Amino acid sequence: EVIMKQDKEVKKGYGNTDVDLLLEYKEELMKMSSEYYEIIPNSQYVNTQPRPIDQIHLLRGEMMKLEDLINIERASKILLGAALREPSLNPLDYCYQALQSDITPLENGEEATILMRYINQTKESNYKIKNIFKVDRRGEAERMLSLKKRGQRKLLFHGSGNSNFLGILSMGLRIAPPGVNIAGWAFGKGIYFADMFGKSAGYCVGRTYGYNGSEEFYMLLCEVDLGKMKKVTQANFSEERPKDCDSYLALGQTEPDPSDTMMMFNGVEVPQGEAVRADIPKQFVGQVYIAHNEYIVFDPSRVRIRYMVQFSQQEVFFTTFLLSLTRQVNDFGSRFNSETNIKKK
C-alpha cells in the first residue's frame, strides 16, 4: 500500500511532487523492509545493507518466496510424518496417502489427444511432454457441484514451482488469507490461470538434472468455473474480493483461436486452436498491455484440479532464464539464494 502511494506521488511529475511526503514514504518502507528481513533473513545481504523493498516487482518476488515457505512447511510435515511411520508403513505410501488425491497416468486415447493438442498449440517453446497424470482431489468434485451460481467452465493451466506441489496436491489451490499477500498479482488476490501453456510455464521452476541443461517441470490443468466473469485491462490490486463478479479475464494480446474448441466433462471448454492475435473488444482497444490472457477466480470452490503435466526443456535458452529467474537447489528447497548458470553455446 505504501509503495502504491509512493508511485502515485512520483507520477505527479516534477514540480508537483511532495518531496517531504516521498521522504516519509521512503523511511516507512525502509523500516518495514528491515522488520521483514529480521523475520525472513537473506544471506545475499550478510555483508551488505539490505535493499529496501520499495518497488512492486521486489515486493512480488518476496511474496513468491513466502508462498514457497508455506508449501515447503506442508511438504516438510508430510516427510516428517513419513519418517515417523517408517517402521509400520512405507514412506512413499504415507506421502501418497497424505496428498488426499488419486493420481494415475493418463493412457493414450482421445482424452490424451485433446490435451496434447491444447498444449502443443500454446506452448510457444521447445518443451517436451513426458507424462500426463489424471488427478482427483478428494472433495473437489462435490465442492464444485454445490456452487449456487455456475458459469462458463474452461480447462486452464496453472504453473508453480516443484517445491509447491506437495502442498498444492494435499491442500488444493488456495487464496491467501487477509493481510497475507503471498500472491501479489496485479489483478487482486485470487487464483491465477492461463489459456496458454507457455504463459504458465514461466511460473514453473524445475530441478536441473546432470550437466546437459535438461530440467523437469510440473504444471496443473484445472477445470475452472468462471461464474460471472468481468473483462479487465487495468491492474488494480485489492485485498477485497470484487462484489460485481466471480472472476476476472485480464485481456491479453494473444490467445488460442476461439473458433477451435472441444468440450470435455459435460461442458468444459478445451481450446484446440493455434495462438492468434486476440480480437479485442472496442471499448478496450489501446488498453491491452499483457501478452496473454489471465483468468483470476476469487473462490477456491470454483477450481477442480484435473491433470498434472510433467515436462522438460532439453536446452536452457536465455528466454527461459528470464521466465524462471531462480531454480530449485533440492527436491523441496526454496528459491532463496539459488544460482542460475547458463552455459553459452
Side-chain angles (χ1 to χ4, degrees), residues 258-287:
S259 66
D260 191 354
T261 302
M262 295 284 291
M263 292 292 181
M264 296 176 67
F265 311 120
N266 297 318
V268 179
E269 297 180 19
V270 185
Q272 296 289 278
E274 63 182 4
V276 297
R277 188 170 184 81
D279 184 12
I280 307 299
K282 290 183 179 180
Q283 66 269 33
F284 296 117
V285 172
Q287 302 177 37

Side-chain angles (χ1 to χ4, degrees), residues 7 48 57 109 112 115 121 168 191 200 226 243 275 341:
D7 292 346
T48 59
H57 75 275
L115 296 182
Q121 294 282 56
I168 290 173
I191 307 173
S200 292
L226 297 167
K243 297 179 180 180
N341 295 317

Side-chain angles (χ1 to χ4, degrees), residues 173-203:
L173 290 169
R174 308 176 308 284
I175 296 174
V180 182
N181 298 322
I182 62 171
W185 306 130
F187 298 96
K189 184 178 288 186
I191 307 173
Y192 283 64
F193 299 92
D195 54 16
M196 296 285 292
F197 184 94
K199 167 76 174 182
S200 292
Y203 297 97

Side-chain angles (χ1 to χ4, degrees), residues 6 8-20 22:
Q6 172 188 257
K8 184 177 181 180
E9 190 65 32
V10 170
K11 288 178 181 178
K12 290 181 180 179
Y14 180 77
N16 297 317
T17 300
D18 188 331
V19 177
D20 292 334
L22 275 179

Side-chain angles (χ1 to χ4, degrees), residues 24 232 295 318:
E24 183 181 323
V232 297
Y295 297 82
F318 183 65

Side-chain angles (χ1 to χ4, degrees), residues 48-66:
T48 59
Q49 183 176 351
R51 177 177 178 176
I53 305 171
D54 56 1
Q55 297 179 31
I56 289 294
H57 75 275
L58 296 175
L59 180 61
R60 288 178 180 170
E62 297 304 319
M63 289 171 177
M64 291 178 71
K65 292 177 183 179
L66 293 178

